Amino acid sequence: MGPLPHLLAKSEPAEELTDHLTGGLSAATALSQRVGDIAVLRPVFSASFWTAVKLGILCHDLGKAAAGFQDMIWGRAKSWGERHEVVSLGFLAALVPDAELRDWIAVAVATHHRPLHGDGKGSLALLHQEDPAAEFVRRLGPVPTDDVRALIRWTAETAAAAGLPVASPEHTPDVLAEAHELLHHLLSSWRDPLYDDEKGLGAVILQGAVTLADHLSSAHGSLRTVQPLGTGFPALLAAEFEAKGRTLREHQTGAGTTHGHLLLRAPTGSGKTEAGLLWASTQVTDIAEAVGGIPRVFYTLPYLASINAMADRLGTLLGDPEHVGVAHSRAASYHLARAIGPEDAEGNHAEIATKAVSRANATRLFRETVRVGTPYQLMRGALAGAAHSSVLIDAANSVFVLDELHAYDPTRLGYILATASLWDRLGGRIAVLSATLPDALAEQFRAALSGTVHEPETPDLGLPRRHRLRTRPHHLTDDAAIGEIASRLRDGEAVLVVANNVRDAQTLFEELSPLVPGNEAVLLHARFRRDDRNRIEDRIRARHGVGRPRTRGLVVATQVVEVSLDVDFDCLYTSAAPLEALLQRFGRVNRVAALPPADVVVHAAEFRTRSRGPELYADGVYEQDPVELAWQILNAHDGIEVDEIRATEWLNDIYASTWGERWKADVAAAREAFTDAFLTFDMPFDGREHLTERFDEMFDGTEAILLDDVDRYRTALTSAPGAGGRLLAENFLIPMPHWARPLTRLDKELKVRVMDGVYDARLGLTEVRGPDRVLYRKGEII
């Protein structure tokens, strides 16, 4: 029991206010030890940045001493309806004599739940801007004088014990009068745009540090204090290589001796990932020596399945999967899939789901020092505010490995590069890894960063060529293509067929699957229920995974197979697409060069318009110009063996075209637009609800369940408590593009979108019906 047991911070479970504040101070101290000194903020805070954070968290909830709040917590009143953080401001004048430091602490305290300004619901300006002092006191009071006196004494003693600069006042302040004065001072001080970019950045990072410490304290969470990719990692990796009879290659050791940003182009199969990890280990040591702390390492990839595979790989390499956090929208599903085995009875799934949610929530609280995820989770820090600014403090003094950067369209690439520029400002170091990276993309990467980007030469490793290019003038769904694929199947080969859209994939599967036994033919695309897709991917890995005995069979897929599965086929038949996408598809064939160069057969695309404009797209999916440019190059080299060096030369030719110049302009414009809209913190404490909506539209699709699955979804929701039940219910979700949302309706009770669709476990979604007509049927693009 603490010194003031009658004052609670929350009721379920009950937690004393002083315990919560002590926990917050401990969390802030741990956070400061992990992040270290943030160089860009030194001119902004005359006192230490971390002093402001620690005092901010120690004082952030003092206003919960208000009688109205305590009546609500103890059940004496149904609600209070006011903001405790506003009352907390009233304690600061007595405790913090330094006016500049007090102003920083005050804004952190005031904004740890709500923005100061903005049109969104609940900004403090909307709540209190017009309140005269008497009305302010009437609304928020009373605050018992004895509790104020006791809390100030406790806070001063606790701060002094932590070495923080506080006063020990003898008088008891009029908390509500002081709060009214300080709040209006803040509203006035932060009303107009700043002209000091560092001050705006410092403001949102301060907010992020205080809110993260608050969340850690509330969740009784902890931050890992060891970086497994630190000084001991090179020896660990060398030992693993030695155990397998391998030695580190020159480009891997070269990456490991590079200090600063890195651009590494290395062929598939050359150990590119290990090179990136060795580089990361060096940067961790450099940053720790320069600013202290325990730098975090973020490994980003564009696709969920490849993220999950990398998380598995790193967990095995580091000797403990608990070292690695998974940061994407379905992280809990990842942990659930890894935890449930064939021996687990259905009734046991609820307990496993609850644990999976807890593990994902720990990552959301930035627990692990190694995380694998999409760039978008990190980019959400640009939304700032109490909900997102913690991402920025966690990114400070960190190490970022961006893999498969070529996979993003120009707009998203520009946004990612803009965010990388912010990471650079925050003391981070960034690496880009690729087997085939065009010079144009390399130039964009260099332009985004302030420091030198090192690009060590990759020696000729003498790796065998894995692919022989073939082109065909007819479409992938043409009878001639189907006949050629059928011949390969009859010869007992493992055949991969990749279409550009779901319609073509379903058509090809129905034509070809009767040619092989049922368990040897699989269709994979994005319009499957989540649990069905997981089973399909498991079947593909079991039959065609790298390192398994070669087995005949057929997989028909869309783009989802490009980097989502570590598989190995004898040959590929694919529709024409941008060269980067085709090279990823090639990579699923003869993956470890166990065969002579294997055929990768590219078929002409069919160009058509979409419903929303006159522009032509390859198979309704890809922009016309890059596909035509790739097709011209491939046709001119029909029959040759392909390697990454030659492929990179082809990419450079494509990006030297008029289309390539337009691509460069689009990337640069997107980078500038994202910086202006999201990364210019001239109004750091305004609500950003409008930006949140724009961000979600840019990066998020939607998901829906079938009308026929509503009852099963409802049952799954109640099969485990809270988020565990929702996680199990998510197995019924089917991904849809953002623009397809009108094909669904929101079920407000279940909090999920629902569509009236026709679904087959082998084919996936084939039709969506509206009230009076079919809105989508197989044969359309979705």
Side-chain angles (χ1 to χ4, degrees), residues 361-393:
N361 287 342
T363 298
R364 289 194 187 96
L365 286 174
F366 315 106
R367 178 171 180 256
E368 299 92 350
T369 55
V370 178
R371 265 164 272 158
V372 187
T374 66
Y376 307 138
Q377 302 301 315
L378 290 165
M379 292 167 67
R380 294 196 77 86
L383 296 172
H388 304 290
S389 54
S390 295
V391 177
L392 295 178
I393 186 66

Side-chain angles (χ1 to χ4, degrees), residues 55 91-103 105 164-169:
L55 284 173
F91 290 79
L92 298 184
L95 287 165
V96 186
D98 183 317
E100 181 181 353
L101 177 60
R102 183 170 62 245
D103 281 355
I105 296 168
L164 298 172
V166 293
S168 298

Side-chain angles (χ1 to χ4, degrees), residues 81-96:
E82 302 296 339
R83 301 306 311 168
H84 66 271
E85 60 268 33
V86 172
V87 181
S88 299
L89 295 174
F91 290 79
L92 298 184
L95 287 165
V96 186

Side-chain angles (χ1 to χ4, degrees), residues 358-664:
S358 296
R359 179 73 196 280
N361 287 342
T363 298
R364 289 194 187 96
L365 286 174
F366 315 106
R367 178 171 180 256
E368 299 92 350
T369 55
V370 178
R371 265 164 272 158
V372 187
T374 66
Y376 307 138
Q377 302 301 315
L378 290 165
M379 292 167 67
R380 294 196 77 86
L383 296 172
H388 304 290
S389 54
S390 295
V391 177
L392 295 178
I393 186 66
D394 189 53
N397 297 332
S398 288
V399 179
F400 304 85
V401 180
L402 308 181
D403 205 349
E404 309 287 2
L405 197 62
H406 59 267
Y408 303 97
D409 64 71
T411 300
R412 287 175 174 79
L413 176 61
Y415 298 160
I416 292 168
L417 292 177
T419 310
S421 180
L422 176 61
W423 298 333
D424 184 20
R425 288 178 64 197
L426 291 174
R429 295 189 182 177
I430 302 100
V432 167
L433 312 181
S434 180
T436 52
L437 189 80
D439 291 343
L441 202 162
E443 291 168 8
Q444 295 290 330
F445 177 55
R446 292 190 188 95
L449 304 180
S450 61
T452 301
V453 176
H454 303 275
E455 185 174 0
E457 286 191 19
T458 302
D460 183 359
L461 301 171
L463 299 175
R465 291 174 177 168
R466 299 181 295 138
H467 307 124
R468 185 177 297 279
L469 174 66
R470 307 288 187 183
T471 59
R472 300 289 185 263
H474 44 268
H475 193 260
L476 187 61
T477 57
D478 190 86
D479 288 343
I482 291 172
E484 186 176 344
I485 297 169
S487 177
R488 295 275 192 163
L489 292 170
R490 284 192 292 268
D491 288 342
E493 295 189 49
V495 181
L496 174 63
V497 180
V498 183
N500 286 339
N501 60 62
V502 174
R503 181 203 69 177
D504 287 348
Q506 290 172 328
T507 299
L508 287 160
F509 182 76
E510 289 182 306
E511 290 276 357
L512 293 167
S513 59
L515 303 178
V516 295
N519 67 335
E520 295 182 7
V522 179
L523 174 65
L524 175 65
H525 56 72
R527 308 289 172 246
F528 280 100
R529 288 191 195 106
R530 190 178 294 182
D531 58 344
D532 285 339
R533 176 163 172 176
N534 289 339
R535 281 193 291 269
I536 290 167
E537 290 185 348
D538 287 343
R539 282 183 61 195
I540 295 172
R541 277 189 289 263
R543 193 167 187 88
H544 303 291
V546 171
R548 295 182 178 274
R550 305 198 74 81
T551 308
R552 61 171 286 178
L554 168 70
V555 172
V556 180
T558 58
Q559 302 90 328
V560 297
V561 80
E562 288 176 9
V563 292
S564 65
L565 295 171
D566 193 13
V567 288
D568 191 6
F569 290 86
D570 295 327
C571 62
L572 166 72
Y573 288 83
T574 177
S575 291
L579 186 55
E580 292 95 335
L582 290 175
L583 294 173
Q584 290 298 318
R585 298 176 193 185
F586 293 178
R588 308 305 109 187
V589 175
N590 199 16
R591 195 155 174 77
V592 293
L595 302 172
D599 285 345
V600 289
V601 184
V602 183
H603 289 258
E606 176 185 290
F607 292 95
R608 67 184 77 160
T609 60
R610 294 174 176 171
S611 60
R612 292 170 297 222
E615 297 85 2
L616 292 174
Y617 294 85
D619 296 324
V621 175
Y622 294 108
E623 185 183 353
Q624 180 181 13
D625 287 351
V627 176
E628 286 192 332
L629 289 165
W631 179 247
Q632 291 167 13
I633 290 174
L634 297 176
N635 254 334
H637 294 87
D638 181 25
I640 72 161
E641 295 177 5
V642 182
D643 61 22
E644 273 89 352
I645 294 175
R646 179 168 282 167
T648 300
E649 293 171 354
W650 294 347
L651 284 169
N652 286 335
D653 289 343
I654 289 173
Y655 282 91
S657 66
T658 301
W659 171 84
E661 292 301 317
R662 190 167 71 247
W663 177 90
K664 295 175 191 175

Side-chain angles (χ1 to χ4, degrees), residues 134-279:
E135 175 61 14
F136 184 88
V137 170
R138 185 197 67 77
R139 287 179 58 181
L140 295 168
V143 186
T145 301
D146 289 345
D147 290 338
V148 171
R149 185 181 302 112
L151 271 178
I152 286 180
R153 184 185 311 115
W154 175 87
T155 305
E157 291 171 354
T158 303
L164 298 172
V166 293
S168 298
E170 296 181 359
H171 71 285
T172 303
D174 184 339
V175 164
L176 293 177
E178 296 281 3
H180 182 267
E181 180 178 346
L182 187 50
L183 175 62
H184 282 73
H185 168 67
L186 292 179
L187 293 176
S188 174
S189 300
W190 296 94
R191 180 183 57 210
D192 299 321
L194 297 173
Y195 296 99
D196 183 341
D197 196 36
E198 268 68 33
K199 183 176 180 181
L201 180 60
V204 296
I205 292 178
L206 173 66
Q207 182 186 46
V210 170
T211 55
L212 177 52
D214 184 24
H215 294 158
L216 282 167
S217 177
S218 295
H220 302 285
S222 61
L223 299 172
R224 281 190 174 267
T225 57
V226 174
Q227 175 49 268
L229 288 173
T231 55
F233 176 74
L236 173 69
L237 185 62
E240 185 192 72
F241 271 39
E242 184 178 355
K244 295 179 179 179
R246 300 166 56 191
T247 58
L248 291 172
R249 289 174 164 147
E250 184 179 339
H251 70 286
Q252 293 171 325
T253 56
T257 56
T258 297
H259 301 268
H261 307 309
L262 174 73
L263 174 60
L264 179 67
R265 292 187 253 209
T268 301
S270 67
K272 172 169 53 76
T273 299
E274 289 83 359
L277 296 176
L278 286 169
W279 169 85

